[in-house]
Amino acid sequence: MQTKENRNRMWAFIILYVLGLNVCQASGEGKSTQMQYVKLIIEESAINNITQILKGFDYNNIRVDNLTKTTRFVHLNMTPSPVCSSSHPSITCTLQEDLKTPPLWKLKRTDGEFEIFNGTESGVTSAPAVTSVRLDTKISERWEETDKFCPAQGDWKDTKADYTAYLKCPNAAGQRQRKCSAGGTWEAVVAHCVNLDVNLALQQAIIVDVGLGSPDKNAANVFSLLGNITNNTKAINSYANMNATVQVLISLSQKSISIVEESAIYDFLESSSNLLERPLKDSWTLNTGESNSSLADSYLTSVEKLIQKTNKTYTNKQNNLEVMASICTKGSPCSNTVFDVTVNLEPSLGSVKTAGFKELQNYLTEEKDFEPNSIVVSTTMTNTESKELKSVNVNINFQLLKPRPPNVQIKCVSWDNNTRSWSEEGCEWKGSSEERLCTCTHLSSFAILMSRYPTEIKWLTEVTYVGLSISVVSLIISMVIELTVWSAVVKTIGSYLRHTAHIHISLCLLIADGCFLASSNPKDLTEMWCKIFVLLKHFCYLSMFFWMLCLSSMLLHKTIFPFHQTSKKAYMRFFLFLGYVCPLLIAVITFLGYNGGAKDVYFSSDTCWLRYSGLMKGSIHTFVIPVGIIVLFNVFSMLVVIMKLLDHPINTDKSNENENEKKAALTALRSVILLTPIFGVTWIFGFAVMLLDLTIGTVAFVVNYAFTVLNAFQGLFILLTTCLGDKLTREALLNRLRKNDSASTTDSSTKLDSTWKQ
């Protein structure tokens, strides 16, 4: 009887306690929710009896489970009452020590008991010895089963559509998150998990100057730990780990410490170098796939500050980081070299520290049309020493990561910590003649950026296509005229050979220009067609020049040996061999010699023309060298002819001396004008185009315009000089036109007379 009475009393006590002191009743219109918390303080000697008495029971939807004795203090931080149904209450449970078991939060209502976890309109966070829950929507409501949701998958519980679920990282610090899309499908897991060793290093770095031990010694221990961690790239091969590791460097760089011991310097530089290893390339990138330049910027800034905290003269070279620190005296040259990049400082005073960073240039912000083409080199001095210098000149001789193609612009830049981007301010590139040299007027982190595209000349492409189109039409007219007046102008062996050469030169140039126009847009051509056009252009342009050589050699022979006669048949054999066989051999041998006409070996897929890789490099030289020899020979022949024309008897009549000089000058000028196009002399500008880099400015632009205009319109110039400029050809053409006109007039008169008689 006594036992039953005690039980009733205990029940009454619990009910009164629950309904009285610790009942939080939500108020407001509509639905409401009770949030009930029970806390009993019982003498230890009574626990066993109470446990036996208070077996699990329910009272007004209140369930009391078996009591368990614990020596661990539990603190429950509850939301003040009353709790409105529209609020977002938060409850936190804190333990004195980790219970080694995952916490479980439940929401009990009249329609059932539901587990509370991330994604069910709530947020649950858990860490050792502490857990909390936050209800994000009305706590009296739960999303209906008819709503879209992502079904449980592995560790991930059912999650309402358009919500994000969170889970603690297994065996690591941090959380994993996974969003349930609006359509009710799981998205990829985004993990912010940090290796426990990395997290430990970060915590120690934060308190390096707090507590026992000297800050310098504590920092050395952190560097040692960080070196061991980063030696295993698999331990930090995620963005979260990379970010946490950089945070270690940032934290240490902000402390008042000195890195004096050689072992500490080595560990610091080794760990900093390990972060730049190529297998960790993706770890510098956010999970979205976008580059995070702020992380690389933080790394660079913190490492520079830590290097300043090393107060020794030393040289230390790691795989991806080399530092050279030297003491420079006033008035003496100061030079540091890291990774074959030489930095000269003028004037110099005090401690100068230069660091070279491999791979870092790939993680810093890039410009749209430029890409990094050197490592990042940092040169710093202490604040006191740098303030004493009114001005400074820094000359950096970089090593280019890849050769600079012709006509490609280079920029010397320094890193701007304010804008977190590269800046040209205070830096200058020394030009194509010294393409690796940069000069700057301040201390910073430097690099070379190279344009992704060659420098373009405005309107040059349009002028080229217009000129070639006019040339094609002019060459067709020229050949028609030659065939029309052939019988009238070809009277001797010399005239026969000259006009034959004119026709073959026009034919070869016509085919070559046509192929050039057909391949004007290489992106629209297949590799096979591009290769065919390159081979045809190579052969036809060479053949044109070899026929020019035939013409100039014949003219030179007639000028020097006017009485030496050679048969027309012998000349034609020589002309045909020189005009077609020689260029064919050169074109075929070049094609076979460059991997059978392989793409980007024999020809460039960007231009559908022979490849130029630098001075005396590339297949283009199998065209340039023969053309150069022929043009030089043609210039020599033209000079000999002009000198022969000017070789006239001395006139003793002084009154006619000036007139004779004028006639001689006009004769020479006329000869130059008539012979230059047909001898290909205008192609001399092509050699200047190859030698002059467009980055030098105005001179190169003028030369390119001159070469394009003179050679794109070469067909027109040939028409004007060889057909319309030649007196015999012009008269024969006029006579032919008059004869046709006369015949037409006579025929009309005859018909009119016949009609009149009728």
Side-chain angles (χ1 to χ4, degrees):
M1 184 67 182
Q2 186 68 26
T3 302
K4 184 176 181 180
E5 183 179 352
N6 290 337
R7 180 181 299 176
N8 292 334
R9 289 177 179 176
M10 182 61 69
W11 284 4
F13 168 75
I14 293 174
I15 293 171
L16 290 173
Y17 190 91
V18 170
L19 298 180
L21 298 177
N22 289 285
V23 172
C24 301
Q25 174 66 47
S27 61
E29 297 181 359
K31 298 180 180 180
S32 63
T33 298
Q34 286 185 336
M35 300 182 67
Q36 301 166 341
Y37 314 96
V38 178
K39 179 171 64 176
L40 297 178
I41 302 176
I42 305 171
E43 291 185 5
E44 185 176 357
S45 60
I47 289 179
N48 292 332
N49 293 332
I50 294 175
T51 303
Q52 294 296 326
I53 294 173
L54 295 180
K55 296 292 184 181
F57 71 93
D58 291 298
Y59 180 83
N60 288 345
N61 294 326
I62 300 175
R63 179 174 179 79
V64 177
D65 292 324
N66 293 344
L67 300 181
T68 303
K69 174 184 175 182
T70 176
T71 59
R72 300 179 178 92
F73 178 74
V74 179
H75 176 70
L76 191 64
N77 184 16
M78 300 175 292
T79 303
S81 60
V83 179
C84 297
S85 62
S86 60
S87 65
H88 305 289
S90 178
I91 308 170
T92 302
C93 180
T94 306
L95 307 178
Q96 188 175 7
E97 58 182 278
D98 191 0
L99 295 178
K100 305 298 183 182
T101 182
L104 181 64
W105 293 91
K106 288 187 177 181
L107 174 65
K108 186 175 182 180
R109 302 189 319 182
T110 56
D111 58 342
E113 186 177 279
F114 307 99
E115 181 181 349
I116 302 176
F117 54 88
N118 280 306
T120 58
E121 304 179 354
S122 61
V124 176
T125 58
S126 298
V130 62
T131 179
S132 63
V133 61
R134 185 191 72 257
L135 301 180
D136 294 330
T137 59
K138 293 182 180 181
I139 59 177
S140 59
E141 297 180 4
R142 183 178 184 271
W143 52 277
E144 303 296 334
E145 296 297 334
T146 56
D147 293 341
K148 289 185 178 181
F149 70 98
C150 295
Q153 188 179 90
D155 295 339
W156 304 96
K157 305 296 184 179
D158 292 348
T159 301
K160 189 177 180 180
D162 210 24
Y163 277 74
T164 301
Y166 295 85
L167 288 177
K168 185 180 182 299
C169 294
N171 302 319
Q175 290 183 330
R176 295 173 293 157
Q177 65 183 60
R178 193 178 188 187
K179 184 174 182 180
C180 177
S181 67
T185 57
W186 284 111
E187 295 183 1
V189 177
V190 178
H192 300 284
C193 302
V194 178
N195 184 287
L196 293 177
D197 291 333
V198 175
N199 188 58
L200 175 62
L202 178 57
Q203 299 306 318
Q204 291 185 3
I206 294 173
I207 61 171
V208 74
D209 55 350
V210 178
L212 300 177
S214 69
D216 294 351
K217 186 64 177 178
N218 292 339
N221 293 334
V222 174
F223 284 130
S224 177
L225 175 60
L226 196 62
N228 294 331
I229 295 171
T230 57
N231 278 329
N232 180 16
T233 56
K234 293 183 179 180
I236 54 173
N237 61 349
S238 68
Y239 175 79
N241 281 311
M242 181 63 70
N243 182 56
T245 308
V246 172
Q247 292 301 320
V248 174
L249 298 176
I250 294 173
S251 179
L252 292 174
S253 68
Q254 296 171 348
K255 304 294 184 180
S256 298
I257 60 173
S258 296
I259 309 174
V260 181
E261 297 180 4
E262 291 186 4
S263 59
I265 295 175
Y266 180 86
D267 291 335
F268 153 55
L269 296 178
E270 181 189 36
S271 57
S272 300
S273 172
N274 290 340
L275 297 181
L276 298 176
E277 290 291 340
R278 288 190 177 182
L280 296 175
K281 180 180 180 180
D282 294 337
S283 301
W284 290 87
T285 306
L286 292 169
N287 294 321
T288 57
E290 298 179 358
S291 175
N292 183 19
S293 62
S294 61
L295 182 60
D297 171 62
S298 300
Y299 168 86
L300 176 61
T301 303
S302 60
V303 172
E304 284 181 340
K305 290 181 179 179
L306 288 171
I307 289 175
Q308 285 299 314
K309 296 179 184 295
T310 59
N311 54 4
K312 281 189 174 183
T313 301
Y314 63 94
T315 299
N316 189 297
K317 185 175 183 179
Q318 302 292 332
N319 290 338
N320 301 296
L321 175 60
E322 183 177 3
V323 178
M324 184 174 182
S326 57
I327 303 296
C328 301
T329 58
K330 188 174 182 180
S332 63
C334 186
S335 178
N336 287 342
T337 301
V338 290
F339 292 127
D340 297 326
V341 177
T342 302
V343 179
N344 295 312
L345 191 65
E346 296 178 1
S348 56
L349 178 64
S351 176
V352 178
K353 296 172 182 177
T354 301
F357 301 85
K358 288 184 177 180
E359 304 298 329
L360 183 60
Q361 70 278 358
N362 298 320
Y363 311 133
L364 295 169
T365 302
E366 294 185 10
E367 296 188 16
K368 181 179 179 182
D369 296 328
F370 285 81
E371 60 182 350
N373 197 26
S374 73
I375 65 172
V376 177
V377 175
S378 170
T379 299
T380 56
M381 298 175 65
T382 61
N383 292 333
T384 304
E385 294 165 342
S386 60
K387 288 179 180 178
E388 294 181 9
L389 293 176
K390 296 181 180 179
S391 62
V392 62
N393 289 323
V394 184
N395 296 319
I396 311 110
N397 194 358
F398 283 99
Q399 295 293 325
L400 299 183
L401 299 179
K402 57 183 179 181
R404 182 186 71 92
N407 306 322
V408 172
Q409 186 70 35
I410 273 182
K411 293 198 302 187
C412 294
V413 294
S414 62
W415 185 254
D416 190 331
N417 291 318
N418 296 324
T419 61
R420 289 184 174 179
S421 62
W422 293 111
S423 171
E424 290 185 85
E425 185 177 355
C427 289
E428 180 184 6
W429 182 48
K430 302 306 289 184
S432 58
S433 59
E434 297 178 286
E435 62 182 12
R436 299 185 305 169
L437 184 61
C438 291
T439 299
C440 298
T441 57
H442 57 85
L443 299 176
S444 182
S445 298
F446 308 101
I448 278 182
L449 300 183
M450 185 173 71
S451 175
R452 301 179 189 273
Y453 316 102
T455 302
E456 293 186 359
I457 304 177
K458 194 175 182 180
W459 302 112
L460 192 66
T461 302
E462 289 77 4
V463 171
T464 300
Y465 294 148
V466 170
L468 290 176
S469 301
I470 294 175
S471 286
V472 168
V473 176
S474 300
L475 290 169
I476 294 174
I477 296 173
S478 177
M479 287 190 292
V480 171
I481 292 175
E482 287 284 357
L483 295 176
T484 302
V485 301
W486 181 269
S487 58
V489 297
V490 176
K491 302 295 185 180
T492 62
I493 295 177
S495 61
Y496 174 84
L497 296 174
R498 187 172 69 256
H499 286 280
T500 299
H502 289 172
I503 290 177
H504 284 281
I505 290 172
S506 299
L507 178 62
C508 292
L509 183 57
L510 175 63
I511 297 174
D513 286 349
C515 291
F516 198 102
L517 289 172
S519 60
S520 59
N521 195 355
K523 294 181 180 179
D524 296 337
L525 297 175
T526 63
E527 181 180 337
M528 180 58 67
W529 274 111
C530 191
K531 187 183 300 185
I532 291 172
F533 283 131
V534 172
L535 186 60
L536 283 174
K537 286 188 287 186
H538 190 195
F539 168 72
C540 290
Y541 277 126
L542 279 179
S543 184
M544 176 192 72
F545 278 101
F546 274 98
W547 274 102
M548 290 178 177
L549 177 62
C550 294
L551 184 61
S552 64
S553 60
M554 185 268 294
L555 187 60
L556 181 64
H557 179 262
K558 292 290 185 182
T559 303
I560 298 176
F561 307 104
F563 302 108
H564 185 270
Q565 298 295 327
T566 304
S567 66
K568 181 173 68 174
K569 190 175 183 180
Y571 265 123
M572 285 306 301
R573 287 176 181 174
F574 173 72
F575 280 11
L576 290 173
F577 177 82
L578 197 62
Y580 289 118
V581 176
C582 288
L584 181 62
L585 289 174
I586 294 174
V588 171
I589 292 173
T590 302
F591 181 85
L592 298 176
Y594 284 88
N595 294 346
K599 177 182 176 182
D600 294 329
V601 177
Y602 167 67
F603 71 97
S604 171
S605 57
D606 296 329
T607 59
C608 270
W609 183 228
L610 299 173
R611 194 164 181 268
Y612 175 68
S613 305
L615 192 61
M616 300 307 294
K617 296 179 182 178
S619 58
I620 188 67
H621 292 89
T622 61
F623 173 77
V624 171
I625 293 175
V627 169
I629 295 173
I630 292 173
V631 169
L632 290 176
F633 181 83
N634 290 352
V635 171
F636 171 75
S637 301
M638 187 172 66
L639 292 176
V640 171
V641 171
I642 293 173
M643 291 175 64
K644 198 70 175 177
L645 291 173
L646 296 177
D647 186 18
H648 56 278
I650 300 176
N651 194 333
T652 56
D653 189 358
K654 293 185 178 181
S655 61
N656 295 329
E657 184 176 354
N658 292 334
E659 185 178 350
N660 292 334
E661 291 296 334
K662 289 181 180 179
K663 289 182 179 180
L666 290 174
T667 301
L669 181 61
R670 181 176 179 275
S671 300
V672 170
I673 293 174
L674 293 177
L675 294 177
T676 293
I678 202 65
F679 278 5
V681 178
T682 55
W683 284 73
I684 289 178
F685 286 96
F687 298 99
V689 168
M690 292 184 63
L691 295 175
L692 294 178
D693 199 284
L694 289 178
T695 57
I696 68 174
T698 306
V699 174
F701 279 57
V702 171
V703 170
N704 274 267
Y705 276 120
F707 172 76
T708 301
V709 171
L710 292 175
N711 292 286
F713 290 90
Q714 187 175 8
L716 175 62
F717 297 146
I718 289 176
L719 171 64
L720 296 176
T721 56
T722 62
C723 294
L724 304 181
D726 183 69
K727 185 177 180 180
L728 292 177
T729 303
R730 187 171 62 251
E731 290 178 352
L733 180 62
L734 291 174
N735 291 334
R736 184 63 180 267
L737 293 176
R738 290 194 191 101
K739 185 183 295 184
N740 291 339
D741 184 59
S742 176
S744 177
T745 303
T746 303
D747 183 60
S748 299
S749 300
T750 303
K751 290 182 179 180
L752 180 61
D753 184 60
S754 175
T755 303
W756 177 260
K757 288 181 179 179
Q758 291 178 358

